[in-house]
Amino acid sequence: MLSKQKLDSDIELVGYLGTRRDVSRVLSFAQFRDPQQKFSIQLVSSPTTSVEAHLRLRNLKEWTPVCVKGKLKTRKPPSSADPKLIDDREIMLESIAPLNDLSADIIIKEDTVFPPEQRHLQIRTKEDLRNSLVLRHRITKLARQKLLPLQYIEVETPILFKSTPEGAREFLVPTRNKGLAYALPQSPQQYKQILMASGIAKYFQFAKCFRDEDLRADRQPEFTQLDIELAFAEENEVMREIEGLLAFLWEKVLDINLKGAFRRMTYQEAMSSYGSDKPDLRWKAEIQPVTELLPPEFISMITSLPSPLVEAFKLDLDFSAEETRKFVSSFLDSPEGKPFLENPEGQPAVIIADTSKPLNGFGALGPMAAMTWPESLTPRNGSLLMLQARKNEPFSGGSTALGNLRLALHKAAVAQGGRAPPQGFRFCWITDFPLFSPTNDTDPGQGGSAGLSSTHHPFTAPKTPEDVELLLTAPEKVIAAHYDIVVNGVELGGGSRRIHNADIQEFIFRDVLKMSSERIEDFRHLLDVLRSGCPPHAGIALGWDRLVTVMLGKDSVRDVIAFPKSGRGEDMLVKSPNRLIKDQLDTYHLQLKE
């Protein structure tokens, strides 16, 4: 460290030139930043020491990479200084050599905001962004430190795979062999199951995965997941391993003890109480059924559905009744609120608790309902009661309309000061998902003709022997041996016990999902591996970008990825994807359709 080196010793450093202050024609001060920007030191320049160095310093732009030479001198510490500044030493400049030029059109000031096209300058100049990348590195290193002593083996699996209908859209990589293409892996799922049949008992890797999906704040077309698989294991063993890993990371990085923090909740419980399969448990506002409490005429006002189910939640706010009316009106008029008004099952009913109104504002529910309304759904004065009708049928998908409304209103209320931001971390496991879900227009599924697709992927095992029997008679009722780990409303990852019996796996492909013979043959390699005496196995994948985002309290995974894609899947810095030229099309035997 420079503060420990001898005074008047010769110093040679490389790094970035910082801000400069010209006191007079014969005296200038400048800050010098080390390459990692962990410290800075003051340069003192005068023509009495070196005319050439003095003139050159005064002509260099801030952030120019330089090599400086000089004598280490003592200095009087300033009364206030940057904590990274070495405040008891300075360098009397004897030589400064620029290592590259800084383009004249690049102006870097403390408040300069660089666009995504200049991501390299965002990283260079924004300490918070650099720190996120450093902490991501540390978290990844700690995960390896935890797993390796537990006899896990880190194995890399291929990136060039083949197209198989696992559930998401794939990115295809054409080859020069006409009609043949690789597919980038949606996950290493099949390879890690093959490893389980290969005598690898405990596997992990930080795997790059690729999915051609619609993008949002927590999703990228390419992403990293911590992939884990254990042979001769079942659900509870995997869950215990992950709890140990997460507790280790939270303690080492955030100094938070997660002992006893992992609640377990079924999919049905999560959907009925929170309207989401990834509930944020930091705030209450649980959803409750209220159909039996409401008069038929009120129900007919909020929905045209025959025999609907009506559910409600209360949202306590730090607003007056009048402020809450303005808040709700503004929300429903906003782009965030519009989808709830266009819900084909009916618009939400809004009740505002107001002690100045008859029946405290509950008059719209009818006098009997208003007087017998349960305490657990009675908001305090100025707060909200939201009601929503839906079809009275089993849950499917990841959320309900009322669950989405609950989250959106809470977010808007926090933004406007009506609720305090939630604090801390609340983990839970979501279990007992349906093994199959109705097909839809947005997810490709497995391409079968049964009207069903795998809720997660087609390799997940039925949970119990009774569920195996239901495959023959009522596959829509089969419960999966699947589990998701959720924290603060974010799904960190999901896993399952896998099907290790080839006959059951092929039966699901052929008789349950009703996939074509051609598509089943795409999985022939896996079926043959399972027939080779593959042991029982289970595993999980943690979304590493999401996990780091949550740990660091960031809003988007883009904040913890060095070179993220935009909302349209573009790398704005390198301008990818780019258009194919004719020679490329010819090389790969491709033709563009109009």
Side-chain angles (χ1 to χ4, degrees):
M1 196 68 179
L2 291 177
S3 60
K4 296 182 180 180
Q5 291 197 21
K6 290 183 179 180
L7 293 175
D8 293 318
S9 60
D10 291 324
I11 296 295
E12 181 175 347
L13 299 172
V14 292
Y16 295 104
L17 186 62
T19 56
R20 189 185 76 248
R21 179 168 58 93
D22 297 326
V23 178
S24 68
R25 288 186 301 172
V26 296
L27 182 62
S28 294
F29 297 98
Q31 295 299 313
F32 171 88
R33 303 182 183 97
D34 78 296
Q36 294 180 314
Q37 301 182 56
K38 290 185 176 180
F39 73 85
S40 64
I41 190 169
Q42 179 170 271
L43 305 177
V44 182
S45 175
S46 172
T48 58
T49 304
S50 171
V51 173
E52 180 183 357
H54 185 66
L55 292 175
R56 182 171 287 170
L57 173 68
R58 294 170 77 117
N59 283 283
L60 291 177
K61 296 180 66 174
E62 185 179 357
W63 287 103
T64 299
V66 294
C67 175
V68 300
K69 298 178 182 178
K71 294 277 194 229
L72 188 64
K73 300 291 185 178
T74 187
R75 66 172 292 193
K76 180 181 179 181
S79 56
S80 62
D82 184 333
K84 292 185 177 181
L85 175 68
I86 299 174
D87 63 0
D88 61 346
R89 296 286 189 273
E90 61 189 13
I91 296 175
M92 184 62 69
L93 189 65
E94 297 177 346
S95 168
I96 181 167
L99 303 178
N100 202 345
D101 294 327
L102 200 65
S103 176
D105 62 345
I106 297 177
I107 300 174
I108 305 177
K109 299 294 182 183
E110 188 173 344
D111 58 349
T112 302
V113 177
F114 293 101
E117 289 82 358
Q118 294 176 302
R119 180 66 170 181
H120 58 300
L121 295 179
Q122 290 181 350
I123 297 173
R124 190 197 298 180
T125 60
K126 302 304 178 187
E127 182 179 13
D128 184 59
L129 185 51
R130 292 195 308 277
N131 286 344
S132 294
L133 298 179
V134 170
L135 281 169
R136 177 178 180 139
H137 161 74
R138 182 185 172 210
I139 293 167
T140 302
K141 184 178 178 181
L142 284 169
R144 285 191 170 97
Q145 181 181 324
K146 175 66 175 177
L147 293 172
L148 291 172
L150 299 177
Q151 308 305 311
Y152 281 91
I153 297 175
E154 186 170 6
V155 180
E156 294 181 3
T157 54
I159 291 295
L160 293 177
F161 186 43
K162 65 182 287 188
S163 176
T164 58
E166 294 185 23
R169 293 186 188 88
E170 302 164 310
F171 287 100
L172 298 179
V173 181
T175 72
R176 288 174 294 164
N177 294 319
K178 190 173 183 179
L180 295 181
Y182 296 105
L184 301 181
Q186 302 174 34
S187 78
Q189 181 61 46
Q190 295 180 59
Y191 276 122
K192 68 178 179 179
Q193 290 192 244
I194 294 170
L195 281 172
M196 295 301 99
S198 304
I200 303 297
K202 300 179 82 172
Y203 140 95
F204 82 95
Q205 75 167 311
F206 288 92
K208 274 291 187 183
C209 304
F210 307 85
R211 296 178 190 174
D212 188 8
E213 298 180 311
D214 295 332
L215 306 181
R216 56 177 186 257
D218 64 344
R219 185 169 288 175
Q220 292 270 293
E222 60 174 307
F223 56 95
T224 303
Q225 67 183 35
L226 172 54
D227 210 46
I228 291 176
E229 200 79 8
L230 293 80
F232 299 97
E234 46 82 49
E235 302 96 302
N236 286 323
E237 184 173 348
V238 175
M239 294 162 82
R240 285 194 299 269
E241 296 272 282
I242 294 304
E243 289 177 11
L245 172 63
L246 295 177
F248 178 77
L249 294 177
W250 255 252
E251 181 178 3
K252 292 294 184 181
V253 178
L254 302 176
D255 196 26
I256 293 175
N257 186 342
L258 296 183
K259 185 176 181 181
F262 296 89
R263 177 179 172 184
R264 296 194 181 188
M265 183 185 304
T266 67
Y267 169 78
Q268 293 294 329
E269 182 184 354
M271 292 292 286
S272 61
S273 297
Y274 300 95
S276 172
D277 64 359
K278 39 185 178 291
D280 188 340
L281 303 183
R282 293 176 298 172
W283 58 291
K284 303 299 182 182
E286 293 188 15
I287 295 170
Q288 299 180 40
V290 294
T291 312
E292 301 301 321
L293 302 175
L294 298 170
E297 54 270 23
F298 178 83
I299 295 175
S300 65
M301 288 172 56
I302 65 172
T303 183
S304 59
L305 292 173
S307 304
L309 181 66
V310 181
E311 298 168 315
F313 70 87
K314 71 171 183 177
L315 184 66
D316 286 327
L317 300 170
D318 297 326
F319 290 147
S320 67
E322 186 57 34
E323 289 171 332
T324 297
R325 288 188 186 90
K326 292 178 180 178
F327 163 72
V328 174
S329 177
S330 174
F331 171 80
L332 293 175
D333 287 341
S334 70
E336 291 76 18
K338 186 177 179 182
F340 303 108
L341 297 180
E342 297 176 347
N343 182 354
E345 296 180 338
Q347 295 184 355
V350 180
I351 304 294
I352 298 173
D354 188 345
T355 54
S356 69
K357 301 288 185 181
L359 298 175
N360 292 333
F362 281 60
L365 301 179
M368 185 59 68
M371 289 187 292
T372 60
W373 199 253
E375 181 67 27
S376 59
L377 280 175
T378 302
R380 63 176 184 246
N381 186 51
S383 295
L384 274 176
L385 175 70
M386 304 298 296
L387 301 95
Q388 177 69 59
R390 66 175 178 88
K391 294 178 182 178
N392 193 357
E393 57 186 31
F395 292 113
S396 64
S399 63
T400 65
L402 190 60
N404 293 335
L405 177 61
R406 174 181 175 273
L407 291 175
L409 278 172
H410 178 262
K411 181 179 179 180
V414 169
Q416 297 187 31
R419 287 183 67 89
Q423 302 295 321
F425 297 95
R426 294 289 303 277
F427 288 83
C428 67
W429 289 100
I430 307 298
T431 64
D432 294 3
F433 288 86
L435 188 58
F436 305 105
S437 300
T439 54
N440 57 61
D441 296 332
T442 58
D443 299 314
Q446 288 73 49
S449 61
L452 295 173
S453 60
S454 296
T455 301
H456 294 96
H457 57 57
F459 318 115
T460 300
K463 184 167 185 177
T464 66
E466 291 74 21
D467 288 304
V468 175
E469 295 296 323
L470 282 174
L471 290 172
L472 300 168
T473 58
E476 71 281 358
K477 297 181 180 179
V478 176
I479 300 301
H482 183 94
Y483 34 87
D484 280 353
I485 182 66
V486 174
V487 61
N488 297 355
V490 177
E491 177 194 331
L492 290 184
S496 65
R497 176 165 44 87
R498 322 300 188 185
I499 298 168
H500 69 283
N501 180 288
D503 292 336
I504 294 177
Q505 183 67 82
E506 190 161 6
F507 179 83
I508 286 177
F509 288 154
R510 183 183 64 249
D511 297 286
V512 177
L513 297 174
K514 299 191 183 300
M515 294 167 56
S516 67
S517 298
E518 182 181 27
R519 298 278 25 194
I520 293 174
E521 285 305 307
D522 288 333
F523 291 107
R524 184 55 56 190
H525 61 279
L526 180 63
L527 296 170
D528 290 343
V529 166
L530 297 181
R531 287 192 175 94
S532 70
C534 180
H537 54 282
I540 194 169
L542 297 177
W544 208 242
D545 309 310
R546 290 188 201 173
L547 182 144
V548 175
T549 301
V550 169
M551 290 190 76
L552 302 188
K554 302 299 181 182
D555 295 325
S556 169
V557 295
R558 296 185 182 95
D559 297 325
V560 300
I561 298 173
F563 302 105
K565 301 293 189 291
S566 71
R568 296 190 297 176
E570 300 171 327
D571 186 323
M572 306 299 288
L573 173 62
V574 303
K575 307 297 188 292
S576 69
N578 56 349
R579 291 195 176 277
L580 295 170
I581 61 175
K582 185 178 184 302
D583 286 349
Q584 292 172 321
L585 292 171
D586 292 342
T587 298
Y588 294 103
H589 311 285
L590 299 175
Q591 189 173 11
L592 300 180
K593 295 179 67 175
E594 295 296 333

